[in-house]
Amino acid sequence: MAPYRGRRTINAVDLLNWRSRGLRDAGTLIRHNLKVLRAIILQDNRSFIKVWSKTSKSTIMYENGKIYFENYQNCYSWYLGWDVSQETLYVKSVQNKETPLARQAGLTQNTVMHLAIFDAFPLQPVGILEISKKIFGNGVTDVALSQSVLAVSYSNKSVKLYSLEHIVHRYMTEKLTLGKQSLLLGGKTVGEAPFGIPVNIQITECPPVIFEVSCSNNGVQIGGYPWHYIYTPPHKHHKGTHHICSLKDNFLATGGIQNMNCCSLESDCIFFHPDDSGRIIHVGPTTINVLKILGELISGLPSKVVKDFSMMTQRENNSQVTVTSSGRRVKRRFHQLDDDPDQETFRLVEYEDELDLMVVVVTNGEEGEGKARIRLHDNQSGQLQRTIDLVEPWDETFQHELYFDKDTIIHIEQKNTNFCCHVYKLNTTRG
């Protein structure tokens, strides 16, 4: 008789027993352990309790399980360490801007800024390059680096992309190593004060432009499968719309114009899903749409954007007509905003990759004080798994950040001139 190969539930005791006997490899164990942790978090008898709060006069930052205060001078961490793969980082200098006095004197500032690129582990300089008007043209307003692509924004609302690999390969004059001597420094040591790191990528001509688009707010995103990009055209009648186009031929996808048609103080946002599924998340005050791109690379037909699933807030009927006790119909003079703090409103969306959960922050100020609730949704189906209430009030007039990191919730808020960090940890509710 053939062995039974059906799927069955595996509990934590079995997993620990197999691990002790070396019957599971590390990758499989990690996946199973995270499934166990996800199941524990979603249990009804589990809750998140606030375990720590701290205020600061300066901005508070959270990165990879560590909370930084006082401009990264003080660090707080916790029982658990995870190895996160990181490869490259970059640092931008402040932008050089021409002063009115220099313009009157006929002096032009050619250098816009410098970009320093480093390999992270071990820390070594890839190179420093100059962003100049002579090479990249007039009107440069900002520069960013992502996925080995150099993105340059211009004042005419255009964005141009350049290959960093091409720039490094063609224009690097000397490979640098921290602690070693450099010819560019006249034999001085790289990284040693006051010499620092020299400019070792000397661009002599404008590199080939691999992609260019005109867009509102110099914002363009690239992702999806097949490759697409999202942007808003720089015309008034396109305000509030997001266009999804094929990167291969610049064709607008069928259903590729997305518009929430919302009336709110905060505009809606759209971005490629960070789970590498190629999907798109479109967040408005009352609706979250998860979209997917359908299309074949060799079909020659336009790709299509369709809805995978949606999440909605629960609101009362906000009719603009009110009926008084005498039966008279009165029409409101002002429309209520879609992100009115008195109504249930979507505020933030995060993705917990290791638990495959979408983390959605919803606020509601019906009782006169803003309350926040975290909704955990299954990332594949969008189904609500559980909700978690935050203890502290949520004031929409200030800035908020929220991070969901496995069994920990970090809420960073600004209160007037102060910043405050609240930490919640998973706990067992005992009845």
Side-chain angles (χ1 to χ4, degrees), residues 362-394:
V362 183
T363 61
N364 196 329
E366 286 183 342
E367 300 175 0
E369 184 179 55
K371 294 292 185 181
R373 173 176 295 175
I374 297 174
R375 290 172 31 170
L376 302 182
H377 292 258
D378 179 77
N379 182 49
Q380 304 303 322
S381 65
Q383 292 184 350
L384 178 64
Q385 305 296 302
R386 70 165 300 182
T387 59
I388 303 164
D389 292 324
L390 296 184
V391 175
E392 65 276 1
W394 186 290

Side-chain angles (χ1 to χ4, degrees), residues 65-220:
K66 295 180 175 62
I67 305 172
Y68 296 94
F69 292 80
E70 311 301 331
N71 295 322
Y72 289 88
Q73 296 183 65
N74 295 327
C75 175
Y76 292 80
S77 183
W78 48 84
Y79 65 97
L80 184 64
W82 298 86
D83 181 20
V84 179
S85 174
Q86 299 183 30
E87 297 180 1
T88 306
L89 59 94
Y90 71 98
V91 182
K92 289 190 299 185
S93 69
V94 294
Q95 184 173 350
N96 294 325
K97 295 185 178 180
E98 290 182 351
T99 63
L101 187 61
R103 283 196 295 268
Q104 289 178 4
L107 300 176
T108 58
Q109 177 63 259
N110 181 54
T111 301
V112 180
M113 65 179 68
H114 284 84
L115 200 68
I117 307 160
F118 297 86
D119 284 332
F121 298 111
L123 182 64
Q124 289 293 345
V126 174
I128 295 183
L129 58 93
E130 178 186 84
I131 305 298
S132 67
K133 297 177 182 177
K134 179 180 178 181
I135 299 299
F136 292 96
N138 293 320
V140 175
T141 58
D142 199 8
V143 176
L145 183 63
S146 177
Q147 304 295 321
S148 294
V149 172
L150 184 68
V152 181
S153 302
Y154 293 84
S155 57
N156 63 356
K157 297 185 178 180
S158 68
V159 176
K160 296 181 181 180
L161 305 186
Y162 304 88
S163 168
L164 180 67
E165 183 179 359
H166 170 84
I167 293 173
V168 171
H169 177 74
R170 178 157 186 177
Y171 301 108
M172 179 181 287
T173 58
E174 180 184 350
K175 188 173 183 179
L176 303 176
T177 304
L178 289 177
K180 301 291 185 180
Q181 293 180 336
S182 167
L183 294 176
L184 294 172
L185 294 175
K188 304 298 182 181
T189 302
V190 177
E192 187 177 88
F195 310 106
I197 302 173
V199 176
N200 67 326
I201 301 176
Q202 303 279 357
I203 306 178
T204 57
E205 59 184 355
C206 185
V209 178
I210 59 177
F211 178 77
E212 181 178 2
V213 65
S214 295
C215 53
S216 176
N217 299 323
N218 292 324
V220 60

Side-chain angles (χ1 to χ4, degrees), residues 28 34 45 157 182 212 222 250 273 323 333 373 398:
T28 303
L34 290 174
N45 68 330
K157 297 185 178 180
S182 167
E212 181 178 2
I222 298 177
N250 294 325
H273 201 309
V323 180
R333 296 184 61 186
R373 173 176 295 175
F398 297 122

Side-chain angles (χ1 to χ4, degrees), residues 23-24 53 58 66 91 116 123 208 334 337 344 347:
L23 297 181
R24 294 268 173 160
S53 291
S58 59
K66 295 180 175 62
V91 182
L123 182 64
F334 302 101
L337 293 174
E344 187 174 84
R347 298 297 178 184

